[in-house]
Amino acid sequence: MKITDLQVIPFRVPYRPYRHGRLLDEAVRIQTLTCIQTDEGLEGYYLGGDNHGDLEGLLPDDRRTLEYNLKPMLLGQDPFDREKIWHWMWTRNIKENLLSVVDMVLWDLQARAYDLPLYKLLGGARDKVKAYASTYPAMASPEGYAAHALACKEQGYTHYKIHPYYFYDPVTGQPDRGRPSHIAEDIAACRAIREAVGDDMVLSFDVWGTYRTYEDAVKVGRELELLGYYWYEHPMPEYRVQAYVKLCQELTIPVLSPEIAAGSLYTRADWILRGASDMSRIDVLRGGITGVKKLAAICEAFGVRCEIHMSGFANLQCLGAISEDVSEYYERGLVAPEVDYDTPPPYLRAICDPMDDQGYVHLPQAPGMGYEFVWDYIWENRVADDD
Ligand SMILES: [Mg+2]
């Protein structure tokens, strides 16, 4: 079997942006569907590929790179030779999100060829995964976070993760883009949440690299330890690896990082060896499904957790093929009180991650990633390539 075509189909999707605790007026964003075809009539797909994975389409420059740079490399190749193609793409220094998209389309294609959900092709480990509610940053006052955490607990979530006050000043109520630390307000929110939900809910905390100093990171980490938080995620910029080594030595709460550092499993293997984090982190846009699978094996060998970053079909398929002892949770979100998370977008018949009242999401059972496309919507809302 040979690859005969690669296309990126951009199309328009209305959505309600959510920022600084408010749902904004309806806007439009461009979603993309990347598709690879073969001479035997098989096809593989991946939806999205920009910062937020499944939900955000590839930008015009990325689409051009795929169609004019990567496509010629793929034409005529056996689509099942993913490992060879994955190494070719690293050798050519292809942008990580783009090599990841190609890798995922090829995995989807092979799982469709065998008529299996992807996690079964990878080697099924479980059909459902424990989820945590992952909040929008700067979502509410400390009391607002606490009320939301309690509502999530009542909905069935057993784990709640706070993205606190960053790129926003909780005192003035204004945007604040200069990577500021607002540690007094962050600590107030963490306390209010613990008080509201009691001791039997797992709580985690994710600063997304916005604390300005090592001292801020230590100070908040000590509070999280007192409050019995489970993990402390990405407190400082991830280029400061030695500061992370020191932080792990200083704190007892597990530090979870790197989440957005480039370099896929290679960077993360070095972090493990240096003791720069206690738990590792990756997602499918940092090396594709192949990258996640390899890092999970490295983590398993070292007895280090590999917590998967972000929501979405492909991350969930990976989790279905990794033991809970290695990757425990699925990041369900981002969520907030006014945000409708459960209605599928107009181009899909179902969301990937419906949750039961015990806090588990169940793996989609359709072949491949599990997408059930509304093809009419995609064709009717298709836009020009450079939109
Ligand atoms: Mg995070």
Side-chain angles (χ1 to χ4, degrees), residues 259-319:
E259 66 171 340
I260 59 170
S264 190
L265 65 138
Y266 306 113
T267 303
R268 285 149 181 83
D270 268 351
W271 275 60
I272 293 169
L273 281 181
R274 288 192 63 180
S277 61
D278 302 293
M279 296 175 167
S280 196
R281 192 144 180 78
I282 194 168
D283 63 73
V284 292
L285 286 175
R286 285 157 239 279
I289 285 163
T290 302
V292 171
K293 184 168 81 86
K294 291 181 183 203
L295 181 66
I298 291 169
C299 288
E300 182 176 338
F302 280 106
V304 166
R305 291 265 189 206
C306 178
E307 288 298 338
I308 304 297
H309 177 221
M310 296 201 297
S311 59
F313 283 87
N315 285 312
L316 189 53
Q317 293 290 343
C318 289
L319 281 162

Side-chain angles (χ1 to χ4, degrees), residues 161 163 206 208 233-234 259 281 309 331:
K161 188 177 89 177
H163 287 105
D206 179 6
W208 211 70
E233 181 173 341
H234 190 181
E259 66 171 340
R281 192 144 180 78
H309 177 221
E331 178 165 18

Side-chain angles (χ1 to χ4, degrees), residues 119 129 312-321 330 352-353 361-364:
Y119 75 105
V129 184
F313 283 87
N315 285 312
L316 189 53
Q317 293 290 343
C318 289
L319 281 162
Y330 172 74
C352 64
D353 53 3
V361 299
H362 294 253
L363 271 284

Side-chain angles (χ1 to χ4, degrees), residues 157-177:
Y157 283 109
T158 55
H159 183 171
Y160 184 80
K161 188 177 89 177
I162 300 108
H163 287 105
Y165 303 107
Y166 53 83
F167 304 139
Y168 173 82
D169 185 334
V171 176
T172 64
Q174 295 300 313
D176 194 348
R177 296 190 178 83

Side-chain angles (χ1 to χ4, degrees), residues 3-115:
I3 295 172
T4 52
D5 200 10
L6 178 154
Q7 293 176 54
V8 186
I9 302 159
F11 58 97
R12 217 178 270 117
V13 182
Y15 78 114
R16 297 283 302 274
Y18 184 87
R19 211 157 293 136
H20 308 141
R22 282 209 312 277
L23 205 53
L24 307 182
D25 290 342
E26 187 169 287
V28 168
R29 64 181 161 199
I30 301 299
Q31 174 61 290
T32 54
L33 182 65
T34 303
C35 172
I36 287 177
Q37 291 166 327
T38 72
D39 59 354
E40 295 185 12
L42 282 172
E43 297 192 340
Y45 303 99
Y46 182 72
L47 264 176
D50 203 44
N51 286 336
H52 274 95
D54 282 6
L55 292 174
E56 291 180 2
L58 293 166
L59 298 173
D61 276 356
D62 280 350
R63 288 181 235 152
R64 276 190 284 276
T65 304
L66 270 177
E67 291 186 319
Y68 297 105
N69 187 346
L70 276 160
K71 180 172 157 179
M73 192 189 86
L74 295 168
L75 292 181
Q77 298 302 315
D78 182 337
F80 292 0
D81 285 349
R82 279 182 319 271
E83 186 68 17
K84 178 179 83 176
I85 292 168
W86 191 82
H87 282 280
W88 279 3
M89 293 190 290
W90 279 107
T91 306
R92 286 176 65 157
N93 202 24
I94 301 294
K95 266 180 78 179
E96 268 180 40
N97 66 323
L98 299 185
L99 76 84
S100 301
V101 166
V102 169
D103 179 76
M104 289 190 277
V105 174
L106 295 176
W107 275 108
D108 180 65
L109 189 149
Q110 187 166 12
R112 284 169 186 271
Y114 289 103
D115 200 26

